[in-house]
Amino acid sequence: QVNLVESGGRVVQAGDSLTLTCDANGDTLRRYSIGWFRQAPGKDREFVAAISWITTVYEDSVKGRFTLSRDNDKNAVHLRMNNVIPEDTAIYYCAAKQDSYDLRSGYGYWGQGTLVTVSS
């Protein structure tokens, strides 16, 4: 079983950059597909990006601005967020699963979330 902890959320201004990190303990993240999701105030949780062993996928609104990468030495996954906009304001969650099918759903392990607030 893997335990996930997100960090890096903070208040930033539109156009700024920040990096969210998903740290794991209990198992190695290399065995898992990792997804990032977000939930804005008053909205449903939505898919942001995911990485498996063979591919990385992004939701259209973050494509070209966000980059997902693995840090195997630190057993972590980073979500680099560039040129953020107010619509990126949300609680960001990382999630893990042990298959690479349909990276937008089916995750069984979740972190507690980290808050990103983008001011205009």
Side-chain angles (χ1 to χ4, degrees):
Q1 180 172 337
V2 64
N3 298 307
L4 306 174
V5 179
E6 304 92 337
S7 63
R10 57 188 174 94
V11 178
V12 294
Q13 292 189 330
D16 284 352
S17 298
L18 74 163
T19 298
L20 305 184
T21 297
C22 178
D23 288 301
N25 58 71
D27 205 347
T28 174
L29 281 186
R30 285 177 291 182
R31 298 180 54 189
Y32 296 82
S33 295
I34 304 299
W36 281 90
F37 295 78
R38 66 187 180 186
Q39 187 165 18
K43 295 187 177 182
D44 293 333
R45 187 172 61 194
E46 65 175 0
F47 171 80
V48 175
I51 187 168
S52 70
W53 304 275
I54 57 174
T55 191
T56 306
V57 295
Y58 299 93
E59 193 267 337
D60 286 346
S61 69
V62 308
K63 201 173 294 183
R65 299 190 298 122
F66 291 9
T67 303
L68 195 53
S69 61
R70 290 184 184 271
D71 187 344
N72 291 330
D73 289 343
K74 296 184 178 179
N75 202 29
V77 170
H78 303 297
L79 180 67
R80 176 66 175 176
M81 304 168 62
N82 293 326
N83 193 25
V84 295
I85 59 178
E87 289 77 12
D88 293 325
T89 295
I91 300 173
Y92 283 73
Y93 300 89
C94 70
K97 64 175 182 174
Q98 290 183 293
D99 67 74
S100 59
Y101 304 112
D102 187 7
L103 293 178
R104 298 172 180 268
S105 65
Y107 291 85
Y109 303 100
W110 291 83
Q112 295 297 312
T114 186
L115 177 62
V116 174
T117 303
V118 181
S119 62
S120 58

